[in-house]
Amino acid sequence: MRVPIARGKGRARLGSVHALRQRQCMKYLRCQVCGHETFGRTDERYLWLVAGSEPIREGEESSSPPVHESCAAEAVRDCPHLRKSHVAALVDAPLFWGVAGLVYDPETLEPLPSDNDGLTHVSFADPQLRWTVAAHAVVTLHDCTAIDLDDLVAAAA
């Protein structure tokens, strides 16, 4: 999807995701809050923070980029989706899986219904990929260890 690029202009829209910045954060494993690399943890794992109340499962799909411990509290405080409920996990291996986007019917050229905020997760191996206008990159999370975010943020401070 096309999005305007105007760094430093306007105000943050914390309830929505900027498609280009999301893909860049996923590609380079940058923090979804500050945009800096998330490499450098002593245990060589990544902190993943997602909206919801169910623990992050092995192989779960996510379009949320990783986050620093120091940025996690800010994300929970400012993001309306995370403020409601959130879970965190340390992840060894985030693997690119596919995209989240608008999928169109090849016969009618009408968008197909979706249950995930208007976007459908489509794997790179799915034939529907050619009929998808991608908005976000999607990874699968492997070797996940659920954590209490409050304890991790307190330890980082």
Side-chain angles (χ1 to χ4, degrees):
M1 291 190 165
R2 293 181 179 196
V3 291
I5 303 171
R7 292 190 188 273
K9 306 275 188 214
R11 297 180 324 153
R13 293 177 19 203
L14 298 172
S16 63
V17 177
H18 190 276
L20 176 61
R21 291 188 191 114
Q22 185 273 351
R23 290 192 311 270
Q24 289 173 339
C25 284
M26 293 296 260
K27 181 178 180 179
Y28 300 109
L29 294 174
R30 294 183 176 183
C31 176
Q32 63 178 301
V33 175
C34 69
H36 292 104
E37 292 181 350
T38 55
F39 298 116
R41 285 183 48 89
T42 56
D43 61 2
E44 298 182 7
R45 301 178 93 190
Y46 301 94
L47 175 60
W48 236 268
L49 179 63
V50 296
S53 57
E54 295 293 318
I56 296 172
R57 298 177 320 274
E58 179 66 23
E60 184 169 332
E61 299 164 14
S62 177
S63 61
S64 296
V67 65
H68 292 117
E69 289 91 341
S70 57
C71 295
E74 181 181 347
V76 170
R77 182 189 71 226
D78 294 341
C79 177
H81 301 294
L82 296 175
R83 196 177 314 134
K84 293 176 187 173
S85 67
H86 59 276
V87 292
L90 292 174
V91 176
D92 280 351
L95 302 175
F96 278 95
W97 175 84
V99 298
L102 297 174
V103 180
Y104 288 84
D105 185 301
E107 306 217 355
T108 65
L109 302 180
E110 294 291 323
L112 296 174
S114 172
D115 59 347
N116 189 13
D117 292 333
L119 301 177
T120 302
H121 286 196
V122 180
S123 82
F124 290 131
D126 191 323
Q128 283 190 313
L129 185 64
R130 66 187 342 190
W131 294 99
T132 304
V133 176
H136 305 145
V138 177
V139 297
T140 54
L141 306 175
H142 300 276
D143 299 322
C144 305
T145 305
I147 59 163
D148 184 328
L149 185 61
D150 295 332
D151 292 345
L152 188 67
V153 169

